[in-house]
Amino acid sequence: MSNSRSQDRNVAPRITIRIDLRNGQIGPGKVRLLELVEQTGSIRQAAAAMKMSYRRAWLLLQSLEACFGVPIVEATTGGKQGGGARLSKLGQGVVTAYRTAERGANRTGLKALKSLPRARNRK
Amino acid sequence: MSNSRSQDRNVAPRITIRIDLRNGQIGPGKVRLLELVEQTGSIRQAAAAMKMSYRRAWLLLQSLEACFGVPIVEATTGGKQGGGARLSKLGQGVVTAYRTAERGANRTGLKALKSLPRARNRK
């Protein structure tokens, strides 16, 4: 417990964001999943990396596609595994928009947070 | 249902943020509570405006104070109700930091979101 606290100390404060669309949400989990699909070229491997079932990953991707009415992941053919997945232009754009907004929040917010009054380094 | 959808259409997309501190979180609910305490001068009225119990509001404020080790709400004396509550300097700073980061996220993120490919105005 005290060990995880001291690890947290290095990363906090941190700002994460959630994007509310008309008919769905984009949060850190879905964006991480998209990034892992792009990195691994496989929905199955991306799901495994996030310790979630293939079905859950697939449903998350489906829910994103439903928001936009445009495919977010495309099938690739060939390769060692005989085909896989990669992000569509929309999928890449969602990741970029999310990470851009997240950087914007951190850039403007962390400075304000650091200036807050706070009890001196409690152990 | 279709009515609430068409109302949502006017506000989305919208970006909300969450700030992770070493030992707690600041999200839209806590910040709204702080703003209402400042507006109403009363934890009880702020809680009622958010349809939450006084106890729940009090615990949320306590959890925020515990993050900083500094009071987030101060008691006021006198007035019609015989005393109430107002935000401390820390409380005001938390609201400012949160809303600043939120604006930063929306400013940078919404432009990127609007450029995403999307099926044409589905009804």
Side-chain angles (χ1 to χ4, degrees):
Chain A
M1 184 71 179
S2 71
N3 188 35
S4 83
R5 281 283 169 92
S6 60
Q7 286 178 343
D8 287 351
R9 194 160 288 223
N10 298 321
V11 295
R14 202 169 73 92
I15 300 176
T16 52
I17 69 164
R18 194 188 70 193
I19 300 171
D20 288 298
L21 302 170
R22 283 195 284 272
N23 43 8
Q25 296 178 340
I26 306 171
K30 285 179 190 164
V31 169
R32 188 76 195 111
L33 179 61
L34 290 179
E35 289 171 335
L36 284 165
V37 168
E38 190 72 352
Q39 282 169 31
T40 64
S42 154
I43 296 175
R44 195 170 296 281
Q45 285 182 47
M50 291 187 74
K51 298 186 192 340
M52 66 171 68
S53 67
Y54 175 80
R55 181 179 155 72
R56 175 154 169 71
W58 189 84
L59 288 172
L60 286 173
L61 296 173
Q62 282 297 107
S63 73
L64 267 179
E65 289 201 2
C67 289
F68 292 92
V70 175
I72 201 148
V73 168
E74 292 168 348
T76 58
T77 54
K80 267 183 284 184
Q81 308 288 326
R86 70 173 167 216
L87 297 187
S88 69
K89 195 176 166 191
L90 169 65
Q92 293 168 4
V94 165
V95 170
T96 300
Y98 183 90
R99 294 301 182 200
T100 300
E102 189 176 59
R103 273 195 305 275
N106 278 278
R107 194 166 48 230
T108 54
L110 292 187
K111 204 189 298 176
L113 276 175
K114 278 172 187 162
S115 67
L116 292 180
R118 186 183 275 265
R120 287 201 164 273
N121 296 319
R122 291 171 302 149
K123 294 280 181 183
Chain B
M1 185 70 179
S2 71
N3 187 38
S4 82
R5 282 282 169 91
S6 60
Q7 286 177 343
D8 288 349
R9 194 160 289 221
N10 297 321
V11 293
R14 203 169 72 92
I15 299 176
T16 52
I17 69 164
R18 193 187 72 193
I19 300 171
D20 288 297
L21 302 169
R22 282 197 285 271
N23 43 6
Q25 296 178 340
I26 306 172
K30 285 179 190 165
V31 169
R32 188 77 195 111
L33 179 62
L34 290 179
E35 289 171 335
L36 284 165
V37 167
E38 190 72 353
Q39 283 169 31
T40 63
S42 155
I43 296 174
R44 195 169 295 280
Q45 284 181 47
M50 291 186 74
K51 298 187 189 345
M52 67 170 67
S53 67
Y54 175 82
R55 181 178 156 74
R56 175 155 168 70
W58 188 85
L59 288 172
L60 286 174
L61 296 173
Q62 282 296 108
S63 73
L64 267 179
E65 289 201 1
C67 288
F68 292 92
V70 175
I72 201 148
V73 168
E74 291 168 349
T76 59
T77 53
K80 269 185 281 186
Q81 307 289 326
R86 71 174 166 214
L87 297 188
S88 68
K89 194 176 167 192
L90 169 65
Q92 293 167 4
V94 165
V95 170
T96 301
Y98 184 89
R99 294 300 183 200
T100 300
E102 190 176 58
R103 275 196 303 277
N106 278 278
R107 196 167 46 228
T108 54
L110 292 186
K111 203 189 298 176
L113 277 175
K114 278 171 187 161
S115 68
L116 292 180
R118 185 182 274 266
R120 285 202 165 273
N121 295 320
R122 291 170 304 148
K123 292 282 180 181

